[in-house]
Coordinates of all heavy atoms in Angstrom, one line a residue:
K70 N 5.1 -10.3 15.2 CA 5.2 -9.2 16.1 C 5.4 -7.9 15.2 O 4.9 -6.8 15.6 CB 6.4 -9.3 17.0 CG 6.1 -10.3 18.1 CD 7.3 -10.3 19.1 CE 7.0 -11.2 20.3 NZ 8.0 -11.2 21.3
L71 N 6.2 -8.0 14.1 CA 6.5 -6.9 13.3 C 5.2 -6.3 12.7 O 5.0 -5.1 12.7 CB 7.4 -7.3 12.1 CG 7.7 -6.2 11.1 CD1 8.6 -5.1 11.8 CD2 8.5 -6.8 10.0
L72 N 4.2 -7.2 12.3 CA 3.0 -6.7 11.8 C 2.1 -6.0 12.8 O 1.6 -4.9 12.6 CB 2.2 -7.9 11.2 CG 2.5 -8.4 9.8 CD1 1.8 -9.7 9.6 CD2 2.1 -7.3 8.8
K73 N 2.0 -6.6 14.0 CA 1.2 -6.0 15.1 C 1.8 -4.8 15.7 O 1.0 -3.9 16.0 CB 0.9 -7.1 16.1 CG 0.1 -8.2 15.7 CD -0.2 -9.2 16.8 CE -1.0 -10.4 16.3 NZ -1.2 -11.4 17.3
I74 N 3.1 -4.7 15.9 CA 3.7 -3.6 16.6 C 4.1 -2.4 15.7 O 3.9 -1.3 16.1 CB 4.9 -4.1 17.4 CG1 4.5 -5.2 18.4 CG2 5.7 -3.0 18.0 CD1 5.7 -5.9 19.1
I75 N 4.5 -2.7 14.5 CA 5.0 -1.6 13.6 C 4.1 -1.4 12.4 O 3.7 -0.3 12.2 CB 6.5 -1.9 13.2 CG1 7.4 -1.9 14.5 CG2 6.9 -0.8 12.2 CD1 8.8 -2.4 14.2
L76 N 3.9 -2.4 11.6 CA 3.3 -2.2 10.3 C 1.8 -1.8 10.3 O 1.4 -0.8 9.7 CB 3.5 -3.5 9.4 CG 4.9 -3.8 9.1 CD1 5.0 -5.1 8.3 CD2 5.5 -2.7 8.3
N77 N 1.0 -2.5 11.1 CA -0.4 -2.2 11.2 C -0.6 -0.8 11.8 O -1.4 0.0 11.2 CB -1.2 -3.2 11.9 CG -1.3 -4.5 11.1 OD1 -1.2 -4.5 9.9 ND2 -1.5 -5.6 11.8
P78 N 0.0 -0.4 12.9 CA -0.2 0.9 13.4 C 0.3 2.0 12.4 O -0.3 3.1 12.3 CB 0.6 1.0 14.7 CG 0.7 -0.5 15.1 CD 0.7 -1.3 13.9
S79 N 1.4 1.7 11.7 CA 1.9 2.7 10.8 C 1.0 2.9 9.6 O 0.8 4.0 9.2 CB 3.3 2.2 10.2 OG 4.2 2.1 11.2
L80 N 0.3 1.8 9.2 CA -0.6 1.9 8.1 C -1.8 2.8 8.5 O -2.3 3.7 7.8 CB -1.1 0.5 7.7 CG -2.1 0.5 6.5 CD1 -1.3 0.9 5.2 CD2 -2.6 -0.9 6.3
V81 N -2.3 2.6 9.7 CA -3.4 3.4 10.2 C -3.0 4.9 10.3 O -3.7 5.8 9.9 CB -3.9 2.9 11.6 CG1 -4.8 3.9 12.3 CG2 -4.5 1.5 11.5
L82 N -1.8 5.2 10.8 CA -1.3 6.6 10.9 C -1.1 7.2 9.6 O -1.5 8.4 9.4 CB 0.0 6.6 11.7 CG -0.2 6.3 13.2 CD1 1.2 6.3 13.9 CD2 -1.1 7.4 13.9
V83 N -0.6 6.5 8.6 CA -0.4 7.0 7.3 C -1.7 7.4 6.7 O -1.9 8.4 6.0 CB 0.4 6.0 6.4 CG1 0.3 6.3 4.9 CG2 1.8 5.9 6.8
W84 N -2.7 6.5 6.8 CA -4.1 6.8 6.3 C -4.6 8.0 7.0 O -5.2 8.9 6.3 CB -5.0 5.6 6.5 CG -5.0 4.7 5.3 CD1 -4.3 3.5 5.1 CD2 -5.7 4.9 4.0 NE1 -4.5 3.0 3.9 CE2 -5.4 3.9 3.2 CE3 -6.5 6.0 3.6 CZ2 -5.9 3.8 1.9 CZ3 -7.0 5.9 2.3 CH2 -6.7 4.8 1.5
L85 N -4.5 8.1 8.3 CA -5.1 9.2 9.0 C -4.4 10.5 8.6 O -5.1 11.5 8.2 CB -4.9 9.0 10.5 CG -5.3 10.1 11.5 CD1 -6.8 10.2 11.5 CD2 -4.8 9.9 12.9
F86 N -3.1 10.6 8.6 CA -2.4 11.8 8.2 C -2.6 12.2 6.8 O -2.7 13.3 6.4 CB -1.0 11.8 8.6 CG -0.7 11.8 10.1 CD1 0.0 10.9 10.7 CD2 -1.3 12.8 10.9 CE1 0.2 10.9 12.1 CE2 -1.2 12.8 12.3 CZ -0.4 11.9 12.9
G87 N -2.6 11.1 5.9 CA -2.8 11.4 4.5 C -4.1 11.9 4.2 O -4.2 12.9 3.3
L88 N -5.2 11.4 4.8 CA -6.5 12.0 4.5 C -6.7 13.4 5.1 O -7.3 14.2 4.5 CB -7.6 11.0 5.1 CG -7.8 9.7 4.4 CD1 -8.7 8.8 5.1 CD2 -8.3 10.0 3.0
M89 N -6.0 13.6 6.3 CA -6.1 15.0 6.8 C -5.4 16.0 5.9 O -5.9 17.1 5.6 CB -5.4 15.0 8.2 CG -6.2 14.3 9.3 SD -5.4 14.1 10.9 CE -4.4 15.6 11.1
L90 N -4.2 15.6 5.3 CA -3.5 16.4 4.4 C -4.3 16.6 3.1 O -4.4 17.8 2.6 CB -2.2 15.8 4.1 CG -1.3 16.6 3.1 CD1 -1.0 18.0 3.6 CD2 -0.1 15.8 2.7
A91 N -4.9 15.6 2.6 CA -5.7 15.7 1.4 C -6.9 16.7 1.6 O -7.2 17.5 0.7 CB -6.3 14.3 1.0
F92 N -7.6 16.6 2.7 CA -8.7 17.5 3.0 C -8.1 19.0 3.2 O -8.8 19.9 2.8 CB -9.5 17.1 4.2 CG -10.5 16.0 3.8 CD1 -10.3 14.7 4.4 CD2 -11.5 16.2 3.0 CE1 -11.1 13.7 4.1 CE2 -12.4 15.2 2.7 CZ -12.2 13.9 3.2
N93 N -7.0 19.1 3.8 CA -6.4 20.4 4.1 C -6.0 21.1 2.8 O -6.2 22.3 2.7 CB -5.2 20.2 5.0 CG -4.7 21.5 5.6 OD1 -5.5 22.5 5.7 ND2 -3.5 21.6 5.9
I94 N -5.5 20.4 1.8 CA -5.0 21.1 0.6 C -6.0 21.1 -0.5 O -5.8 21.6 -1.6 CB -3.6 20.5 0.1 CG1 -3.8 19.1 -0.3 CG2 -2.6 20.7 1.2 CD1 -2.6 18.5 -1.0
G95 N -7.1 20.4 -0.3 CA -8.2 20.3 -1.3 C -7.8 19.4 -2.4 O -8.1 19.7 -3.6
A96 N -7.1 18.3 -2.1 CA -6.6 17.4 -3.1 C -7.7 16.7 -3.9 O -7.5 16.2 -5.0 CB -5.7 16.4 -2.5
W97 N -8.9 16.7 -3.4 CA -10.0 15.9 -4.0 C -10.4 16.5 -5.4 O -11.0 15.9 -6.2 CB -11.2 15.8 -3.1 CG -10.9 15.2 -1.8 CD1 -10.6 15.8 -0.6 CD2 -10.7 13.8 -1.6 NE1 -10.3 14.8 0.3 CE2 -10.3 13.6 -0.2 CE3 -10.7 12.7 -2.4 CZ2 -10.0 12.4 0.3 CZ3 -10.5 11.4 -1.9 CH2 -10.1 11.3 -0.5
Q98 N -10.0 17.8 -5.6 CA -10.3 18.4 -6.9 C -9.2 18.3 -7.9 O -9.3 18.7 -9.0 CB -10.6 19.9 -6.7 CG -11.9 20.2 -6.0 CD -12.0 20.0 -4.5 OE1 -11.0 20.1 -3.9 NE2 -13.1 19.6 -4.0
M99 N -8.1 17.7 -7.5 CA -6.9 17.5 -8.3 C -6.9 16.2 -9.0 O -7.1 15.2 -8.3 CB -5.6 17.7 -7.5 CG -5.5 19.0 -6.8 SD -4.1 19.1 -5.7 CE -4.4 20.5 -4.7
G100 N -6.8 16.2 -10.3 CA -6.9 14.9 -11.1 C -5.9 13.9 -10.7 O -6.2 12.7 -10.6
W101 N -4.6 14.3 -10.5 CA -3.6 13.3 -10.2 C -3.8 12.6 -8.9 O -3.4 11.5 -8.7 CB -2.2 14.0 -10.1 CG -2.1 15.1 -9.0 CD1 -2.5 16.4 -9.1 CD2 -1.8 14.9 -7.7 NE1 -2.3 17.0 -7.9 CE2 -1.9 16.1 -7.0 CE3 -1.3 13.8 -6.9 CZ2 -1.6 16.3 -5.7 CZ3 -1.0 14.0 -5.6 CH2 -1.2 15.2 -5.0
F102 N -4.5 13.3 -8.0 CA -4.8 12.7 -6.6 C -5.6 11.5 -6.7 O -5.4 10.5 -5.9 CB -5.4 13.8 -5.7 CG -5.7 13.2 -4.3 CD1 -4.7 13.0 -3.4 CD2 -7.0 12.9 -4.0 CE1 -4.9 12.5 -2.2 CE2 -7.3 12.3 -2.7 CZ -6.2 12.2 -1.8
H103 N -6.6 11.5 -7.6 CA -7.5 10.3 -7.7 C -6.7 9.0 -8.1 O -7.0 8.0 -7.5 CB -8.6 10.6 -8.7 CG -9.5 11.7 -8.3 ND1 -10.5 12.2 -9.1 CD2 -9.5 12.4 -7.2 CE1 -11.1 13.1 -8.4 NE2 -10.5 13.3 -7.3
L104 N -5.8 9.2 -9.0 CA -5.0 8.0 -9.4 C -4.1 7.6 -8.2 O -3.9 6.4 -7.9 CB -4.1 8.3 -10.6 CG -3.2 7.2 -11.1 CD1 -4.0 5.9 -11.4 CD2 -2.5 7.6 -12.4
K105 N -3.5 8.6 -7.6 CA -2.6 8.3 -6.4 C -3.4 7.6 -5.3 O -3.0 6.6 -4.7 CB -2.0 9.6 -5.9 CG -1.2 9.4 -4.7 CD -0.7 10.7 -4.1 CE -0.1 10.4 -2.7 NZ 0.1 11.6 -1.9
F106 N -4.6 8.1 -5.1 CA -5.5 7.5 -4.0 C -5.8 6.1 -4.4 O -5.8 5.2 -3.5 CB -6.7 8.4 -3.9 CG -7.6 8.0 -2.7 CD1 -7.1 8.2 -1.4 CD2 -8.9 7.5 -2.9 CE1 -7.9 7.9 -0.4 CE2 -9.7 7.2 -1.8 CZ -9.2 7.4 -0.5
L107 N -6.1 5.8 -5.6 CA -6.4 4.4 -6.1 C -5.2 3.5 -5.9 O -5.3 2.4 -5.4 CB -6.8 4.4 -7.5 CG -7.2 3.1 -8.1 CD1 -8.4 2.5 -7.5 CD2 -7.4 3.2 -9.6
L108 N -4.0 4.0 -6.2 CA -2.8 3.2 -6.0 C -2.5 2.9 -4.5 O -2.1 1.9 -4.1 CB -1.6 3.9 -6.6 CG -1.6 3.9 -8.1 CD1 -0.4 4.8 -8.7 CD2 -1.6 2.6 -8.7
V109 N -2.8 3.9 -3.7 CA -2.6 3.8 -2.2 C -3.6 2.7 -1.7 O -3.3 1.9 -0.8 CB -2.7 5.1 -1.5 CG1 -2.7 4.9 0.0 CG2 -1.5 6.0 -1.9
I110 N -4.8 2.8 -2.2 CA -5.8 1.7 -1.8 C -5.3 0.4 -2.2 O -5.4 -0.6 -1.4 CB -7.2 2.0 -2.4 CG1 -7.8 3.2 -1.7 CG2 -8.1 0.8 -2.3 CD1 -9.1 3.7 -2.4
G111 N -4.7 0.3 -3.4 CA -4.1 -1.0 -3.8 C -3.0 -1.5 -3.0 O -2.9 -2.7 -2.6
L112 N -2.1 -0.5 -2.6 CA -1.0 -0.9 -1.7 C -1.5 -1.4 -0.3 O -1.0 -2.3 0.3 CB -0.1 0.3 -1.5 CG 0.9 0.5 -2.6 CD1 1.6 1.9 -2.5 CD2 1.9 -0.6 -2.7
S113 N -2.6 -0.7 0.2 CA -3.2 -1.1 1.5 C -3.8 -2.5 1.4 O -3.7 -3.4 2.3 CB -4.2 -0.1 1.9 OG -3.7 1.1 2.1
G114 N -4.4 -2.8 0.2 CA -5.0 -4.2 0.0 C -3.9 -5.2 -0.1 O -4.0 -6.3 0.4
Y115 N -2.8 -4.8 -0.7 CA -1.6 -5.7 -0.8 C -1.0 -6.0 0.6 O -0.7 -7.1 0.9 CB -0.5 -5.0 -1.7 CG 0.8 -5.8 -1.8 CD1 0.9 -6.8 -2.7 CD2 1.9 -5.5 -1.0 CE1 2.1 -7.5 -2.9 CE2 3.0 -6.2 -1.1 CZ 3.1 -7.2 -2.0 OH 4.3 -7.9 -2.1
H116 N -1.0 -5.0 1.4 CA -0.6 -5.2 2.8 C -1.5 -6.2 3.5 O -1.0 -7.1 4.2 CB -0.6 -3.8 3.6 CG -0.4 -4.0 5.0 ND1 0.8 -4.2 5.6 CD2 -1.3 -4.0 6.0 CE1 0.7 -4.3 6.9 NE2 -0.6 -4.2 7.2
G117 N -2.8 -6.1 3.3 CA -3.7 -7.0 4.0 C -3.5 -8.4 3.4 O -3.5 -9.4 4.2
W118 N -3.3 -8.5 2.1 CA -3.1 -9.8 1.5 C -1.8 -10.5 2.0 O -1.8 -11.7 2.4 CB -3.1 -9.7 0.0 CG -2.9 -11.0 -0.7 CD1 -3.8 -12.0 -0.8 CD2 -1.7 -11.5 -1.3 NE1 -3.2 -13.1 -1.5 CE2 -1.9 -12.8 -1.8 CE3 -0.4 -11.0 -1.4 CZ2 -1.0 -13.5 -2.4 CZ3 0.6 -11.7 -2.0 CH2 0.3 -13.0 -2.5
I119 N -0.7 -9.7 2.1 CA 0.5 -10.2 2.6 C 0.4 -10.6 4.1 O 1.0 -11.6 4.5 CB 1.7 -9.2 2.4 CG1 2.0 -9.1 0.9 CG2 2.9 -9.5 3.1 CD1 2.6 -10.4 0.3
S120 N -0.3 -9.8 4.8 CA -0.5 -10.2 6.3 C -1.2 -11.5 6.4 O -0.8 -12.4 7.2 CB -1.4 -9.1 7.0 OG -0.7 -7.9 7.0
G121 N -2.2 -11.8 5.6 CA -2.9 -13.1 5.5 C -2.0 -14.2 5.1 O -2.0 -15.3 5.6
Y122 N -1.1 -13.9 4.1 CA -0.2 -14.9 3.6 C 0.8 -15.2 4.6 O 1.2 -16.4 4.8 CB 0.5 -14.4 2.3 CG 1.2 -15.5 1.6 CD1 0.5 -16.3 0.7 CD2 2.6 -15.6 1.7 CE1 1.2 -17.3 0.1 CE2 3.3 -16.7 1.1 CZ 2.5 -17.5 0.2 OH 3.2 -18.5 -0.4
A123 N 1.3 -14.2 5.4 CA 2.2 -14.5 6.5 C 1.6 -15.5 7.5 O 2.3 -16.3 8.1 CB 2.6 -13.2 7.2
K124 N 0.3 -15.3 7.8 CA -0.3 -16.3 8.7 C -0.4 -17.7 8.2 O -0.2 -18.6 8.9 CB -1.7 -15.8 9.1 CG -1.8 -14.5 9.9 CD -3.1 -14.0 10.1 CE -3.1 -12.6 10.8 NZ -4.4 -12.0 11.0
K125 N -0.6 -17.8 6.9 CA -0.6 -19.1 6.2 C 0.8 -19.7 6.3 O 1.0 -20.9 6.6 CB -1.0 -19.0 4.8 CG -2.4 -18.7 4.5 CD -2.7 -18.6 3.0 CE -4.2 -18.3 2.8 NZ -4.5 -18.2 1.4
L126 N 1.8 -18.9 6.1 CA 3.2 -19.4 6.2 C 3.5 -19.9 7.7 O 4.2 -20.9 7.9 CB 4.2 -18.4 5.8 CG 4.3 -18.1 4.3 CD1 5.3 -16.9 4.1 CD2 4.7 -19.3 3.5
A127 N 3.0 -19.2 8.6 CA 3.2 -19.5 10.0 C 2.5 -20.9 10.4 O 3.0 -21.6 11.2 CB 2.6 -18.5 11.0
R128 N 1.4 -21.2 9.7 CA 0.8 -22.5 9.9 C 1.4 -23.6 9.1 O 1.0 -24.7 9.1 CB -0.7 -22.4 9.4 CG -1.6 -21.5 10.3 CD -3.0 -21.7 10.0 NE -3.4 -21.4 8.6 CZ -3.9 -20.2 8.2 NH1 -4.2 -19.3 9.1 NH2 -4.2 -20.1 6.9
G129 N 2.4 -23.3 8.2 CA 3.1 -24.3 7.5 C 2.6 -24.4 6.1 O 3.1 -25.3 5.3
E130 N 1.6 -23.6 5.7 CA 1.1 -23.7 4.3 C 2.0 -22.8 3.4 O 2.5 -21.8 3.8 CB -0.3 -23.1 4.3 CG -1.3 -23.8 5.2 CD -2.7 -23.1 5.2 OE1 -3.0 -22.4 4.3 OE2 -3.4 -23.3 6.2
R131 N 2.1 -23.2 2.2 CA 2.8 -22.4 1.2 C 2.2 -22.5 -0.2 O 2.6 -23.3 -1.1 CB 4.3 -22.9 1.1 CG 5.1 -22.0 0.3 CD 6.6 -22.4 0.4 NE 7.3 -21.6 -0.6 CZ 8.5 -21.3 -0.5 NH1 9.2 -21.7 0.5 NH2 9.1 -20.5 -1.4
P132 N 1.1 -21.7 -0.4 CA 0.3 -21.8 -1.6 C 1.1 -21.3 -2.9 O 0.8 -21.7 -4.0 CB -0.9 -21.0 -1.4 CG -0.8 -20.4 0.0 CD 0.5 -20.9 0.6
L133 N 2.0 -20.4 -2.7 CA 2.7 -19.8 -3.9 C 4.2 -20.3 -3.9 O 4.8 -20.5 -2.9 CB 2.7 -18.3 -3.8 CG 1.3 -17.6 -3.9 CD1 1.5 -16.1 -3.7 CD2 0.7 -17.9 -5.2
T134 N 4.7 -20.4 -5.1 CA 6.1 -20.8 -5.3 C 7.0 -19.6 -5.0 O 6.6 -18.5 -5.0 CB 6.3 -21.3 -6.7 OG1 6.1 -20.2 -7.6 CG2 5.4 -22.5 -7.1
G135 N 8.3 -19.9 -4.8 CA 9.2 -18.9 -4.6 C 9.3 -17.9 -5.7 O 9.5 -16.7 -5.5
K136 N 9.2 -18.4 -7.0 CA 9.3 -17.5 -8.1 C 8.1 -16.5 -8.2 O 8.3 -15.3 -8.4 CB 9.3 -18.4 -9.4 CG 9.5 -17.5 -10.7 CD 9.6 -18.4 -11.9 CE 9.8 -17.5 -13.1 NZ 9.8 -18.3 -14.4
K137 N 6.9 -17.0 -7.9 CA 5.8 -16.1 -7.9 C 5.9 -15.1 -6.8 O 5.6 -13.9 -7.0 CB 4.5 -16.9 -7.7 CG 4.1 -17.7 -8.9 CD 2.8 -18.5 -8.6 CE 2.4 -19.3 -9.8 NZ 1.2 -20.1 -9.6
L138 N 6.4 -15.5 -5.6 CA 6.6 -14.6 -4.5 C 7.6 -13.5 -4.9 O 7.5 -12.3 -4.5 CB 7.0 -15.3 -3.2 CG 5.9 -16.1 -2.6 CD1 6.5 -16.9 -1.4 CD2 4.8 -15.2 -2.1
R139 N 8.7 -13.9 -5.6 CA 9.7 -12.9 -5.9 C 9.1 -11.8 -6.9 O 9.4 -10.6 -6.8 CB 10.9 -13.5 -6.6 CG 11.8 -14.2 -5.5 CD 13.2 -14.6 -6.1 NE 13.0 -15.6 -7.1 CZ 12.9 -16.9 -6.9 NH1 13.0 -17.4 -5.7 NH2 12.8 -17.8 -7.9
I140 N 8.3 -12.3 -7.8 CA 7.6 -11.4 -8.8 C 6.6 -10.5 -8.0 O 6.6 -9.3 -8.3 CB 6.9 -12.2 -9.9 CG1 8.0 -12.9 -10.8 CG2 6.0 -11.3 -10.7 CD1 7.4 -13.9 -11.7
I141 N 5.8 -11.0 -7.2 CA 4.9 -10.3 -6.4 C 5.6 -9.3 -5.5 O 5.0 -8.2 -5.2 CB 3.9 -11.2 -5.6 CG1 3.0 -12.0 -6.5 CG2 3.1 -10.5 -4.6 CD1 2.3 -13.1 -5.9
N142 N 6.8 -9.6 -5.0 CA 7.5 -8.7 -4.1 C 7.9 -7.4 -4.8 O 8.2 -6.4 -4.1 CB 8.8 -9.5 -3.6 CG 9.5 -8.7 -2.6 OD1 8.9 -8.2 -1.6 ND2 10.8 -8.6 -2.7
E143 N 7.9 -7.4 -6.1 CA 8.3 -6.1 -6.8 C 7.2 -5.1 -6.9 O 7.4 -3.9 -7.1 CB 8.8 -6.5 -8.2 CG 10.0 -7.4 -8.2 CD 11.2 -6.9 -7.5 OE1 11.5 -5.7 -7.5 OE2 11.9 -7.7 -6.8
M144 N 6.0 -5.6 -6.7 CA 4.8 -4.7 -6.9 C 4.8 -3.5 -6.0 O 4.6 -2.4 -6.4 CB 3.5 -5.5 -6.8 CG 3.2 -6.3 -8.0 SD 1.6 -7.2 -7.9 CE 0.8 -6.7 -6.5
P145 N 5.0 -3.6 -4.7 CA 4.9 -2.5 -3.8 C 5.9 -1.4 -4.1 O 5.7 -0.2 -4.0 CB 5.0 -3.0 -2.4 CG 5.6 -4.4 -2.5 CD 5.2 -4.8 -3.9
G146 N 7.1 -1.8 -4.5 CA 8.2 -0.8 -4.8 C 7.8 0.0 -6.1 O 8.0 1.2 -6.1
I147 N 7.3 -0.7 -7.1 CA 6.9 0.0 -8.3 C 5.7 0.9 -8.0 O 5.7 2.1 -8.5 CB 6.6 -1.1 -9.4 CG1 7.9 -1.8 -9.8 CG2 5.9 -0.4 -10.6 CD1 7.6 -3.1 -10.7
L148 N 4.7 0.4 -7.3 CA 3.6 1.2 -7.0 C 3.9 2.4 -6.2 O 3.4 3.5 -6.4 CB 2.5 0.4 -6.4 CG 1.7 -0.6 -7.2 CD1 0.7 -1.4 -6.4 CD2 1.1 0.1 -8.4
A149 N 4.8 2.2 -5.2 CA 5.2 3.4 -4.3 C 6.0 4.4 -5.2 O 5.8 5.6 -5.0 CB 6.1 2.8 -3.2
A150 N 6.8 4.0 -6.1 CA 7.5 4.9 -7.0 C 6.5 5.7 -7.8 O 6.7 6.9 -8.0 CB 8.5 4.2 -7.9
V151 N 5.5 5.1 -8.4 CA 4.5 5.8 -9.2 C 3.7 6.8 -8.3 O 3.5 7.9 -8.7 CB 3.5 4.8 -9.8 CG1 2.4 5.5 -10.5 CG2 4.3 3.9 -10.8
V152 N 3.4 6.4 -7.0 CA 2.7 7.3 -6.1 C 3.6 8.5 -5.9 O 3.1 9.7 -5.9 CB 2.4 6.6 -4.8 CG1 2.0 7.6 -3.7 CG2 1.3 5.6 -5.0
V153 N 4.9 8.4 -5.6 CA 5.8 9.5 -5.4 C 5.9 10.4 -6.6 O 5.8 11.6 -6.5 CB 7.2 9.0 -4.9 CG1 8.2 10.1 -4.9 CG2 7.1 8.4 -3.6
I154 N 6.0 9.8 -7.8 CA 6.1 10.5 -9.0 C 4.8 11.4 -9.2 O 4.8 12.5 -9.6 CB 6.3 9.6 -10.2 CG1 7.8 9.1 -10.2 CG2 6.1 10.3 -11.5 CD1 8.1 8.0 -11.1
L155 N 3.6 10.8 -9.0 CA 2.4 11.5 -9.1 C 2.3 12.7 -8.1 O 1.8 13.7 -8.5 CB 1.2 10.5 -8.8 CG 0.8 9.6 -10.0 CD1 -0.2 8.6 -9.5 CD2 0.3 10.4 -11.2
A156 N 2.8 12.5 -6.9 CA 2.8 13.5 -5.9 C 3.7 14.7 -6.3 O 3.4 15.8 -6.0 CB 3.1 13.0 -4.5
V157 N 4.8 14.4 -6.9 CA 5.8 15.4 -7.2 C 5.5 16.1 -8.5 O 5.5 17.3 -8.6 CB 7.2 14.8 -7.2 CG1 8.3 15.8 -7.7 CG2 7.6 14.3 -5.9
V158 N 5.2 15.3 -9.6 CA 5.0 15.9 -10.9 C 3.6 16.4 -11.1 O 3.4 17.4 -11.8 CB 5.3 14.8 -12.0 CG1 5.0 15.3 -13.4 CG2 6.8 14.4 -11.8
K159 N 2.6 15.8 -10.5 CA 1.2 16.2 -10.6 C 0.8 16.4 -12.0 O 0.4 17.5 -12.4 CB 0.9 17.5 -9.8 CG 1.2 17.3 -8.3 CD 1.1 18.6 -7.5 CE 1.5 18.3 -6.1 NZ 1.8 19.4 -5.3
P160 N 0.8 15.3 -12.8 CA 0.6 15.4 -14.3 C -0.8 15.7 -14.7 O -1.0 16.2 -15.8 CB 1.1 14.1 -14.8 CG 0.9 13.1 -13.7 CD 1.1 13.9 -12.4
L161 N -1.8 15.3 -14.0 CA -3.2 15.4 -14.4 C -3.9 16.6 -13.9 O -3.7 17.0 -12.8 CB -4.0 14.1 -14.0 CG -3.3 12.8 -14.5 CD1 -4.1 11.7 -13.9 CD2 -3.4 12.7 -16.0

């Protein structure tokens, strides 16, 4: 329920408002934005992969070990921090 009610609609809204903002401020000409955009695409892909993995878990399948899942769990936090740093510092 969490995926269907909160996470998926939130992802759609974030993409919608993010793209509107990017067009509004002309971010496509800014170098830092391209890297940020690539990272956000990666985070969206991660969301899709985790959604699929949750369905496997619901069916009783467990393809990854607990250790691998703990390592993979750190990726979105690190990527989100890099995205925020890029948006604030605008290094490129």
Side-chain angles (χ1 to χ4, degrees):
K70 288 185 178 184
L71 178 68
L72 277 169
K73 290 181 183 177
I74 296 171
I75 297 173
L76 294 176
N77 289 337
S79 296
L80 185 67
V81 170
L82 290 174
V83 164
W84 269 101
L85 177 70
F86 291 128
L88 289 174
M89 286 172 38
L90 178 64
F92 282 112
N93 191 27
I94 66 170
W97 301 102
Q98 287 77 32
M99 302 174 194
W101 62 270
F102 178 77
H103 296 177
L104 180 57
K105 178 186 171 195
F106 190 65
L107 181 66
L108 292 173
V109 171
I110 289 171
L112 282 170
S113 296
Y115 178 83
H116 168 79
W118 180 76
I119 287 296
S120 297
Y122 193 80
K124 291 176 185 175
K125 288 180 183 178
L126 288 175
R128 290 192 304 259
E130 300 173 25
R131 189 173 173 153
L133 296 175
T134 64
K136 183 177 181 180
K137 287 181 183 177
L138 287 174
R139 283 191 297 276
I140 292 170
I141 291 171
N142 187 47
E143 300 303 322
M144 284 182 9
I147 293 168
L148 289 178
V151 172
V152 166
V153 170
I154 290 169
L155 284 171
V157 173
V158 177
K159 299 175 183 159
L161 304 173

